[in-house]
Amino acid sequence: MRFGVKPERPSFPSRAKLRLNESTYKVPSDTEESSGEEFEEAVVESSDSEDSFFYASESEIPTKGRRIHGPPKSTSEQRELTEAMASIKLHSTHSDPLTEWVKQNQKEAFEIAQARIRRSQTAMTNLYLTAAKITQTSMEVTLKEQELRIASEVQARQRAREEEEKREQSRWEARNKAIWDQVDKVAATVEARLEAERKAVEFEKQKQEAEKRKIEEERRKREDAERERREKAEAEKRRIAEEKEQEKERAKEEERRRQEAEERERKEVEERKRREKEELSKVDTERRQAGITTPSEDWDRALEITTNVKHGHLKRVKEDSIQRRQWSAIRRGVTLRIGQLTDDNAEITRISNQIFDTIRALDPSSDLYPAALSALAKAIILQAETEVTAKLDTAGPLAAVVINLFNLPGFEEVLWAKMVTRGGGWIIGNYVMKRQGQNDKEFRKLAGYREDETQVDRQTRIGGIVSLYFAICTSPRAVSMLPTPFWPTKIWSFLTRILGEPRLSKQSLAPYVMYSCLEVAAPTGLT
């Protein structure tokens, strides 16, 4: 602990006097007028002061009883010290009137509040006790009422339970009786069933014994029949062997005679073929001079035209994207206009002109022109296969459009070739034969067959093509000479070739196509 006072500072009595002059709690003295500047610089310095001193321990601090050595104080200094001590004591024990008044008021207010609280608590306690008594009385009344109600309810439930027990007893007795009745009935039924089963077992046993006897009898009969059959079979075998031997002899004799007859027939056929060849050579020369063709020549020519268009012009068009789009647009437009055709002259003329203008605008030397003619011919033939077969009257307007379109160069040949190939050669009276290296699928397609097509569908489709062909040949709307493939005389060539070719006339389709031809051509007088 450190204490220190600088030497240049005023002494403690001077500082105390200064403070007494400034305090309101000082004791009057004779030196009040003295200057107060003596106490201005009185401070307690810290231990860092040069003139300070300190004790090494608490034992060195002087006690109250110890006298501090120093110079003796004067009477004025002792008095100042006494006054300072008295002022400090008065200051520490002084009581402020305002503070005391506030404290007194607070104390009285607190006592008044406590009194009010005690009165309020007393009133609340009395009220609570009164309410508790009332509640107690009400609860007692309610409890009594509840006891009475519960007692009556218990009695009612007791009576109901007794009645329910009586009813349950009655039901139980009835159920017990029904169960025993059912048991008796079931027992009787079981006994009856057992008796029936026993009888059935006896009957089945008897039946099995009878069946066994019957099977034994049948086995014996089968053995007898088998023995007889073997005997007959052996006899038949011997007879057949004898007949085979005789048949071999007869077959040898017949083979010898047949060979002799075939040799004679071969010689006769060779002689006849030689004569026919000479005659045919003479006739063929005359026919060629007259411009008349045979069915096979017509067939080869139609195949050549179709192959040239399909595998030549049309193939190249499909390989070129620009021409392929043009060809597709033409094909769709032609198909749409052919489908809109009606039996009206103005409509026929309009559709004919539209199709003519569309195709005539193409360059005839390009691949697109033959491809467009092929698409036009196919649209016309498809219309004949669907519409003409359903209604013969539609053949006339379609034939009129075809005649109007004959002004397109090369159209008559493309249409005729496609009719010949799609119709299996029937419109030219040609019998299609399978060629060397040709598979069945290709041959059936050339012969006019289609996949998944019945005989009736094929007959109807080819009949529609024949009807359109002869409707063109005999159309009264032709104002000029028709192209050679569509001359009216083709009717007689058609009939003659079918009737003169047994392989065609024997087919079931021959009468139908001949009827289709005559149905269209007969009204015109068979020109």
Side-chain angles (χ1 to χ4, degrees):
M1 181 178 295
R2 297 176 183 178
F3 304 94
V5 179
K6 287 186 177 182
E8 67 271 15
R9 303 298 182 186
S11 62
F12 179 78
S14 299
R15 293 196 303 273
K17 183 177 180 180
L18 178 61
R19 290 182 180 179
L20 284 174
N21 291 334
E22 295 175 354
S23 175
T24 58
Y25 304 104
K26 66 180 181 177
V27 179
S29 66
D30 296 335
T31 60
E32 270 186 344
E33 291 83 12
S34 63
S35 177
E37 295 178 356
E38 299 178 18
F39 299 96
E40 283 185 70
E41 296 179 3
V43 294
V44 177
E45 296 295 333
S46 64
S47 61
D48 296 332
S49 176
E50 297 178 355
D51 300 329
S52 65
F53 66 93
F54 63 90
Y55 299 100
S57 63
E58 291 183 356
S59 62
E60 296 179 3
I61 299 174
T63 59
K64 291 182 180 182
R66 293 180 62 182
R67 183 175 179 85
I68 300 175
H69 297 283
K73 293 181 176 60
S74 64
T75 306
S76 61
E77 288 178 352
Q78 291 180 358
R79 184 179 177 187
E80 287 178 358
L81 180 60
T82 304
E83 288 177 354
M85 295 299 294
S87 176
I88 292 171
K89 184 175 181 181
L90 286 173
H91 181 72
S92 62
T93 59
H94 175 71
S95 176
D96 190 9
L98 178 60
T99 304
E100 292 297 329
W101 180 81
V102 171
K103 290 182 179 180
Q104 184 64 28
N105 285 344
Q106 290 178 350
K107 182 177 180 182
E108 291 175 357
F110 180 72
E111 291 176 353
I112 293 170
Q114 281 186 337
R116 288 180 180 176
I117 291 172
R118 283 194 296 272
R119 288 195 298 270
S120 176
Q121 288 179 347
T122 303
M124 289 298 295
T125 303
N126 295 335
L127 181 62
Y128 175 76
L129 292 175
T130 304
K133 289 181 180 179
I134 294 171
T135 303
Q136 182 71 20
T137 305
S138 176
M139 290 178 63
E140 290 176 356
V141 173
T142 303
L143 287 174
K144 288 181 180 180
E145 291 177 354
Q146 288 181 353
E147 288 177 358
L148 293 175
R149 187 169 61 254
I150 291 171
S152 60
E153 184 70 22
V154 169
Q155 292 177 1
R157 291 192 179 184
Q158 183 68 22
R159 289 194 298 271
R161 187 175 64 80
E162 292 176 356
E163 293 176 357
E164 183 66 23
E165 288 179 354
K166 290 180 181 179
R167 287 194 297 271
E168 287 294 330
Q169 183 68 24
S170 300
R171 283 198 298 270
W172 177 261
E173 292 177 356
R175 178 176 174 276
N176 194 24
K177 184 176 180 302
I179 290 173
W180 282 111
D181 293 342
Q182 184 69 18
V183 169
D184 295 338
K185 189 181 295 184
V186 170
T189 304
V190 171
E191 290 178 358
R193 187 174 67 250
L194 292 174
E195 182 66 19
E197 290 177 355
R198 185 183 61 78
K199 290 181 179 180
V201 169
E202 292 179 358
F203 177 75
E204 186 67 24
K205 187 176 180 181
Q206 294 174 1
K207 183 178 179 181
Q208 289 178 357
E209 291 177 355
E211 188 70 23
K212 188 176 180 181
R213 289 194 298 272
K214 183 178 179 181
I215 291 172
E216 185 67 24
E217 184 67 23
E218 289 178 354
R219 184 184 61 78
R220 188 169 58 254
K221 289 180 179 179
R222 282 198 302 272
E223 289 177 354
D224 295 341
E226 183 67 21
R227 186 174 60 256
E228 292 177 0
R229 187 185 64 78
R230 283 198 300 271
E231 292 174 357
K232 289 181 180 180
E234 291 175 359
E236 184 68 18
K237 237 183 234 185
R238 289 192 296 271
R239 184 183 65 77
I240 290 173
E242 293 174 358
E243 289 180 355
K244 281 185 178 179
E245 190 66 27
Q246 295 174 3
E247 185 68 26
K248 286 181 181 179
E249 294 295 332
R250 286 196 299 270
K252 289 180 181 179
E253 183 65 22
E254 289 178 357
E255 181 66 19
R256 184 182 61 78
R257 292 176 183 176
R258 186 182 64 77
Q259 290 178 356
E260 292 176 356
E262 285 180 354
E263 183 65 22
R264 288 194 302 270
E265 185 177 357
R266 185 180 62 79
K267 291 179 180 180
E268 291 175 358
V269 169
E270 288 179 355
E271 182 64 21
R272 186 170 63 254
K273 283 184 178 180
R274 186 183 61 79
R275 290 195 302 268
E276 288 178 354
K277 187 175 182 181
E278 293 176 356
E279 294 177 359
L280 286 174
S281 178
K282 184 178 179 181
V283 172
D284 188 57
T285 303
E286 295 175 354
R287 178 181 59 77
R288 291 182 182 276
Q289 292 175 355
I292 301 173
T293 58
T294 62
S296 60
E297 290 175 347
D298 290 341
W299 176 253
D300 292 339
R301 181 164 165 263
L303 285 180
E304 181 183 359
I305 294 172
T306 304
T307 304
N308 185 30
V309 173
K310 184 175 181 181
H311 299 287
H313 302 293
L314 186 57
K315 183 179 179 181
R316 289 191 291 271
V317 166
K318 290 183 177 180
E319 290 174 353
D320 189 337
S321 60
I322 298 176
Q323 291 188 347
R324 183 174 67 248
R325 286 195 295 271
Q326 294 177 348
W327 175 79
S328 298
I330 293 171
R331 178 172 57 86
R332 289 193 298 270
V334 166
T335 304
L336 178 62
R337 292 182 176 89
I338 293 297
Q340 295 173 348
L341 185 63
T342 59
D343 191 7
D344 181 69
N345 291 332
E347 192 70 13
I348 292 172
T349 303
R350 182 184 67 81
I351 292 175
S352 300
N353 292 335
Q354 289 177 351
I355 297 174
F356 181 83
D357 294 340
T358 301
I359 298 180
R360 195 68 183 88
L362 302 175
D363 183 8
S365 61
S366 65
D367 291 326
L368 186 59
Y369 182 78
L373 293 180
S374 176
L376 174 59
K378 185 175 181 180
I380 292 171
I381 293 173
L382 289 175
Q383 187 74 3
E385 291 177 349
T386 55
E387 296 295 332
V388 175
T389 56
K391 190 177 181 181
L392 188 62
D393 296 343
T394 58
L398 194 58
V401 172
V402 172
I403 292 171
N404 292 337
L405 295 176
F406 278 156
N407 294 324
L408 292 170
F411 174 62
E412 69 279 359
E413 290 188 351
V414 174
L415 177 63
W416 173 79
K418 193 167 284 291
M419 281 185 165
V420 171
T421 54
R422 284 187 69 87
W426 278 94
I427 65 171
I428 59 174
N430 177 66
Y431 178 74
V432 181
M433 293 185 295
K434 189 175 182 180
R435 298 185 178 184
Q436 186 176 4
Q438 193 176 47
N439 56 37
D440 293 339
K441 185 177 181 180
E442 293 175 351
F443 168 70
R444 286 180 62 81
K445 187 175 181 180
L446 282 178
Y449 291 93
R450 296 292 179 267
E451 293 183 1
D452 302 330
E453 185 181 50
T454 62
Q455 183 65 23
V456 175
D457 294 339
R458 176 173 178 264
Q459 175 178 297
T460 305
R461 181 175 58 80
I462 295 177
I465 298 174
V466 171
S467 298
L468 176 61
Y469 176 72
F470 290 109
I472 297 171
C473 294
T474 60
S475 176
R477 305 195 186 202
V479 295
S480 61
M481 189 68 172
L482 292 173
T484 303
F486 296 93
W487 281 357
T489 55
K490 295 296 180 180
I491 298 172
W492 300 112
S493 300
F494 168 74
L495 296 174
T496 302
R497 288 175 178 180
I498 289 181
L499 294 174
E501 176 57 69
R503 291 174 297 184
L504 290 177
S505 60
K506 290 180 180 180
Q507 294 187 28
S508 60
L509 186 58
Y512 187 82
V513 295
M514 293 174 68
Y515 172 77
S516 299
C517 169
L518 296 173
E519 187 179 17
V520 174
T524 63
L526 293 178
T527 302

